[in-house]
């Protein structure tokens, strides 16, 4: 799933409003209802790449989805719902995420279906300075050759799984609420859709023979709290997956993000993280990220954001190589739900004699609609 974490909001802004809304909604039963949302991003990209590989140095690209959200409340106060994310163009993966959920504000939340793991949904590291370009959330449409991604490599997103969350710091697309929250994911087959061109993750219509990996386990924890004018978010995650025909592979990561509210709606966001994991039974990967961003007035119209973000990766596999990544991002909230952005960056990969040995300078200019 392509999403932007904390791009236009402070860490726990409006947390009390979200929690109050949940509590009030569970007072009486509500029939199932459907709302439609999504996003549409249009981008112009430029690159200076060495070696070039015959590629053009500029392009237009689109990233968009339409979301169908189902929600209702039972007589016992349990909130039930579902979410289907439709790619707004023709792709092999036409449906991104699709899952149902059950929730009580005092107990927690359960998600069942094709969705991201808890370590992906609960992660806090460097603040995102550009939509679709981030060290924790990076769209495949970004155009960066060797983009960093601090999420676990072996924890396939959008896979058929069960996610379980404890009640505090309620997770529902936004990170609302405060306190400690724990999350657990179990992924039997590491597969995504009933049919797909990628046979390594095709679920089929029934029981299947595992391909690639199976029995994925994810455990995550985050803690959100405010200390005076500082909002803090701490995160830790663990991933373990069994490679078919081999042993289990595991990894762990930690991260933190802080928002220093300086008055008038303005805030300074700062954060970073560390990731360590075994990959494909042959190598160890370590990665670090750090970033800082200044935001003048949250997601209010007229708000300006400027920030810098970096990532550094060390990989034992020389065919993958080490990576140094930096980017500078500028955003302007043109109107409610309308964000313009521009950025430049550098990605340098050291993998001599391989296709991954690429140095790239890139630039992006775009506009994103969220509805």
């Amino acid at each position: 799933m392509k999403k932007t974490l904390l791009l236009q909001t402070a860490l726990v802004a409006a947390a009390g409003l979200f929690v109050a809304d949940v509590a009030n909604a569970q007072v009486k039963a509500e029939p199932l209802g459907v709302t439609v949302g999504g996003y549409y991003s249009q981008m112009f990209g430029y690159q200076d790449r060495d070696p070039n590989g015959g590629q053009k140095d500029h392009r237009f690209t689109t990233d968009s989805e339409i979301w169908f959200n189902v929600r209702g409340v039972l007589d016992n106060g349990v909130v039930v719902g579902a979410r289907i994310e439709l790619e707004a163009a023709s792709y092999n993966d036409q449906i991104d995420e699709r899952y149902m959920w059950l929730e009580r504000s005092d107990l927690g939340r359960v998600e069942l279906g094709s969705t991201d793991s808890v370590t992906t949904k609960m992660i806090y590291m460097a603040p995102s300075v550009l939509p679709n370009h981030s060290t924790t959330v990076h769209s495949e449409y970004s155009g960066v050759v060797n983009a960093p991604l601090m999420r676990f490599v072996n924890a396939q997103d959008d896979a058929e799984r069960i996610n379980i969350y404890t009640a505090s710091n309620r997770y529902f697309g936004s990170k609302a609420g405060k306190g400690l929250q724990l999350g657990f994911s179990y992924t039997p087959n590491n597969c995504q859709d009933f049919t797909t061109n990628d046979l390594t993750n095709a679920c089929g219509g029934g029981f299947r023979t595992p391909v690639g990996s199976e029995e994925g386990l994810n455990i995550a924890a985050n803690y959100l709290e405010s200390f005076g004018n500082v909002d803090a978010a701490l995160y830790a995650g663990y991933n373990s997956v069994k490679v078919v025909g081999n042993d289990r592979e595991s990894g762990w990561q930690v991260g933190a993000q802080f928002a220093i509210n300086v008055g008038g709606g303005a805030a300074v966001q700062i954060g970073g993280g560390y990731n360590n994991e075994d990959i494909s039974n042959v190598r160890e990967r370590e990665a670090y990220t750090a970033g800082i961003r200044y935001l003048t007035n949250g997601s209010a119209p007229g708000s300006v954001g400027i920030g810098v973000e970096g990532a550094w990766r060390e990989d034992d596999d020389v065919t993958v190589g080490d990576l140094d990544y930096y980017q500078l991002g500028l955003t302007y909230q043109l109107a409610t739900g309308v964000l313009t952005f521009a950025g430049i960056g550098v990605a340098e990969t050291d993998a001599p004699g391989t296709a991954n040995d690429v140095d790239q300078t890139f630039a992006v200019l775009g506009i994103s609609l969220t509805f």
Side-chain angles (χ1 to χ4, degrees):
M1 173 183 180
K2 284 76 68 178
K3 61 178 83 67
T4 303
L5 297 179
L6 301 174
L7 182 62
Q8 292 300 103
T9 58
L11 291 176
V12 291
L17 295 178
F18 277 93
V19 175
D21 175 69
V22 178
N24 292 334
Q26 293 178 353
V27 171
K28 62 179 181 179
E30 296 179 8
L32 290 174
V34 180
T35 59
V36 178
Y39 67 92
Y40 186 101
S41 297
Q42 188 71 50
M43 295 163 279
F44 171 78
Y46 169 82
Q47 69 164 352
D48 180 8
R49 170 177 169 166
D50 181 26
N52 177 268
Q55 294 184 355
K56 294 187 70 65
D57 61 3
H58 63 281
R59 70 169 191 170
F60 289 101
T61 187
T62 302
D63 182 14
S64 54
E65 293 182 1
I66 299 173
W67 303 333
F68 300 93
N69 300 294
V70 181
R71 185 182 184 279
V73 183
L74 305 182
D75 291 335
N76 60 4
V78 174
V79 184
V80 297
R83 183 179 176 102
I84 301 171
E85 299 179 356
L86 174 67
E87 300 282 5
S90 296
Y91 304 107
N92 291 334
D93 179 22
Q94 194 61 60
I95 300 295
D96 189 6
E97 296 192 33
R98 46 168 181 77
Y99 61 94
M100 69 174 297
W101 51 270
L102 299 94
E103 179 181 84
R104 275 188 63 106
S105 61
D106 57 341
L107 295 177
R109 178 180 172 96
V110 177
E111 297 170 343
L112 294 161
S114 178
T115 187
D116 297 340
S117 67
V118 294
T119 49
T120 293
K121 292 191 174 188
M122 296 171 64
I123 192 171
Y124 282 101
M125 289 189 181
S128 300
V129 302
L130 284 171
N132 301 302
H133 296 69
S134 168
T135 56
T136 50
V137 181
H138 212 106
S139 168
E140 59 265 40
Y141 308 100
S142 69
V144 180
V145 177
N146 292 317
L149 192 59
M150 294 297 292
R151 305 200 306 250
F152 289 119
V153 174
N154 283 336
Q156 179 182 325
D157 287 334
D158 302 346
E160 290 283 351
R161 57 169 46 97
I162 179 172
N163 290 339
I164 301 174
Y165 307 85
T166 59
S168 185
N169 178 19
R170 171 179 176 268
Y171 184 87
F172 191 165
S174 64
K175 293 178 172 60
K178 298 181 181 181
L180 175 68
Q181 183 185 39
L182 304 177
F184 171 82
S185 297
Y186 175 65
T187 313
N189 297 319
N190 211 28
C191 63
Q192 180 176 354
D193 298 319
F194 286 128
T195 58
T196 176
N197 289 340
D198 181 2
L199 297 180
T200 63
N201 69 344
C203 294
F207 296 97
R208 69 187 292 270
T209 301
V211 177
S213 61
E214 60 178 327
E215 297 178 6
L217 300 173
N218 291 82
I219 302 172
N222 57 27
Y223 180 76
L224 273 66
E225 193 52 81
S226 296
F227 304 93
N229 66 332
V230 178
D231 298 326
L234 306 179
Y235 162 79
Y238 173 79
N239 173 66
S240 177
V241 62
K242 185 180 185 302
V243 178
V244 175
N246 290 291
D247 297 329
R248 298 193 72 86
E249 298 175 356
S250 62
W252 61 275
Q253 56 187 198
V254 291
Q257 192 175 133
F258 303 91
I260 305 171
N261 301 294
V262 296
V268 177
Q269 299 174 342
I270 185 170
Y274 171 79
N275 182 74
N276 185 309
E277 61 179 319
D278 296 325
I279 304 172
S280 301
N281 266 352
V282 296
R283 68 184 196 267
E284 181 184 28
R285 170 179 289 184
E286 290 185 279
Y288 313 80
T289 183
I292 185 171
R293 183 170 186 253
Y294 176 71
L295 192 61
T296 61
N297 195 18
S299 58
S303 180
V304 177
I306 184 170
V308 63
E309 191 176 357
W312 304 267
R313 185 185 71 208
E314 299 176 1
D315 200 304
D316 289 347
D317 189 345
V318 296
T319 65
V320 175
D322 297 340
L323 173 68
D324 292 335
Y325 180 93
Y326 310 89
Q327 68 178 23
L328 172 69
L330 176 67
T331 61
Y332 177 70
Q333 193 76 42
L334 187 62
T336 301
V338 183
L339 180 71
T340 58
F341 56 92
I344 57 174
V346 175
E348 298 179 347
T349 308
D350 183 18
T354 73
N356 284 321
D357 191 31
V358 174
D359 293 341
Q360 182 188 33
T361 300
F362 64 90
V364 62
L365 179 67
I367 183 169
S368 182
L369 311 179
T370 303
F371 52 91

